[in-house]
Amino acid sequence: MKTGKVIMGQTRNRHKRLDWIQRLFLLLVLCLTTLLGVILCSSPETAPGLADAVAHLQGRSGVESPVTAVLLNFRGYDTLLEVMVLLLAVIGAWSLTKAPLPDQITDISPVQLGVVRLLVPVMCLVAAYLVWQGSHLAGGAFQGGAIIGAAGVLLLVSELPWLRDIPPLPLRIGLVLGPLVFVGTALFCLLWTGNLLGYPEGAGGWLILLIEAACALSIGLTLALLFAGGRPENELVKADKQTDFPCNRESL
Amino acid sequence: MITTLLYSLTGMVLFGMGLFTLIVHSHPLRKILAVNVMATGVFLILVATAYIPFGKGAIDPVPHAMVLTGIVVSVSVTALALILACRLQETSNLDLRAKTKQSSNTKESGT
């Protein structure tokens, strides 16, 4: 209750009681929820899904896991566009603010440093394992990317001093590696088989693994950089000092 | 069947709560949280409907793939919305201060 009051005070939401239009809206939302509940209850138990179609074409997809087959083979367009959405989110975040990294170098406790040193390599290993496992079990680029992103968040939370000195160009290359490999593979398949993302017979498994490995790295970097909340601070300074603009061109 | 229905109904209640908060409350942070709660409800419904009790496959993989990508996209959307909300707060406050200063100045000069 106490925290609730504090938040209420901070956000200037002083409506302790709902006025009549809010009550009307509450009624409407309740009606909508009840209607949805009735629809859900009355829907047939075994809805005709696409499970049989996926199982039918599973052998030709190149991977054994049905979710990965749907994600990167049958509905490859969707995943391609979603990877692009992630890239757009980072570009939007970078164009708005700089990352609020602390100015002074703080002392990191040795326990935290030890935990980071132990955990981050293990997390990278688990991410690689998840990407590899994606071909036959649950796993894949998004799961692996989430773990890489968590490792990046751990590094950012620890406020390690070398985080400000990350060179800008490899960071950006890592960010666009996944989308570039995805688009490149799609165009290669367009030239080779005549269909965008229509993998050639027999090569589907390796192409999917290649795309997944590149996308996992990019998704992980994307999530960590979104957590950082803006573009890296040292970047523009360096570019101004050197009067060398390869990184700026990269960002465009 | 009962479990699936329970998951679906929970997702639906979450969706309703999120929708109500999204429209009633004006603060951007609350709106972002409300959209997240709504998205969680939709994911829950999708995963619950993907479950097939008996059949060839254990699950329907298409909703699972949609939820998988949807979670990552919703995280990035939340991050971008938070940054936008922060910028909105900074810039709108500055504008407000500048406008109040300007209006007071013009009033003084006018009188």
Side-chain angles (χ1 to χ4, degrees):
Chain A
M1 283 308 288
K2 218 172 186 180
T3 51
K5 268 180 189 172
V6 170
I7 291 169
M8 290 287 247
Q10 277 175 354
T11 56
R12 311 270 167 80
N13 257 320
R14 294 201 184 106
H15 305 289
K16 289 276 165 74
R17 289 181 185 169
L18 306 174
D19 55 9
W20 66 271
I21 197 156
Q22 286 172 341
R23 279 182 196 167
L24 181 70
F25 186 70
L26 182 63
L27 195 67
L28 282 177
V29 168
L30 281 179
C31 288
L32 179 71
T33 313
T34 321
L35 193 65
L36 281 173
V38 169
I39 291 171
L40 279 177
C41 288
S42 64
S43 63
E45 193 171 336
T46 53
L50 288 167
D52 291 340
V54 171
H56 183 63
L57 289 170
Q58 184 73 58
R60 294 178 59 194
S61 70
V63 286
E64 289 168 33
S65 160
V67 176
T68 310
V70 170
L71 207 60
L72 284 162
N73 202 331
F74 304 143
R75 290 173 66 95
Y77 292 108
D78 271 7
T79 314
L80 178 59
L81 291 178
E82 270 148 354
V83 171
M84 292 298 170
V85 166
L86 290 180
L87 186 62
L88 274 179
V90 172
I91 292 173
W94 280 22
S95 59
L96 283 171
T97 49
K98 284 182 180 176
L101 289 176
D103 288 331
Q104 71 274 21
I105 295 168
T106 50
D107 286 338
I108 310 162
S109 83
V111 176
Q112 193 179 6
L113 206 59
V115 165
V116 169
R117 274 185 187 152
L118 277 178
L119 271 186
V120 170
V122 174
M123 284 167 109
C124 291
L125 202 64
V126 170
Y129 173 66
L130 274 178
V131 171
W132 174 254
Q133 200 198 24
S135 60
H136 51 97
L137 282 171
F142 287 91
Q143 290 93 331
I147 297 212
I148 294 178
V153 168
L154 192 62
L155 290 178
L156 282 168
V157 166
S158 308
E159 295 178 353
L160 297 177
W162 55 266
L163 279 176
R164 351 180 99 259
D165 303 328
I166 293 177
L169 194 58
L171 193 65
R172 290 173 188 233
I173 288 176
L175 207 53
V176 295
L177 185 68
L180 277 185
V181 167
F182 213 148
V183 171
T185 314
L187 289 178
F188 166 75
C189 293
L190 183 66
L191 292 177
W192 193 260
T193 63
N195 289 320
L196 195 71
L197 282 170
Y199 304 119
E201 201 73 36
W206 288 106
L207 286 176
I208 286 177
L209 190 63
L210 176 72
I211 294 174
E212 278 199 310
C215 279
L217 182 66
S218 290
I219 291 168
L221 269 178
T222 304
L223 294 179
L225 289 170
L226 282 173
F227 181 81
R231 61 180 176 272
E233 199 147 345
N234 60 347
E235 205 148 39
L236 290 175
V237 180
K238 272 191 179 173
D240 285 341
K241 274 181 185 169
Q242 293 171 356
T243 61
D244 182 22
F245 297 107
C247 38
N248 281 353
R249 221 177 286 149
E250 185 76 20
S251 77
L252 292 173
Chain B
M1 178 59 197
I2 293 294
T3 323
T4 317
L5 199 62
L6 190 66
Y7 285 148
S8 298
L9 291 180
T10 312
M12 194 198 60
V13 169
L14 283 176
F15 182 84
M17 284 161 62
L19 185 64
F20 180 70
T21 314
L22 177 68
I23 299 187
V24 165
H25 290 286
S26 61
H27 196 274
L29 196 57
R30 279 170 188 254
K31 283 188 188 289
I32 293 166
L33 281 175
V35 168
N36 266 300
V37 171
M38 280 172 76
T40 311
V42 172
F43 294 153
L44 203 53
I45 292 175
L46 271 176
V47 170
T49 48
Y51 177 70
I52 300 172
F54 32 77
K56 275 188 177 177
I59 51 155
D60 188 352
V62 179
H64 273 252
M66 286 157 76
V67 169
L68 198 58
T69 50
I71 288 171
V72 176
V73 168
S74 82
V75 167
S76 66
V77 164
T78 308
L80 187 58
L82 283 173
I83 292 172
L84 273 174
C86 284
R87 288 293 290 169
L88 195 68
Q89 187 121 20
E90 292 168 12
T91 50
S92 63
N93 280 349
L94 286 177
D95 280 349
L96 202 64
R97 277 179 210 158
K99 271 180 193 171
T100 44
K101 270 187 185 176
Q102 272 182 2
S103 59
S104 57
N105 285 342
T106 48
K107 268 179 191 174
E108 283 172 6
S109 62
T111 51

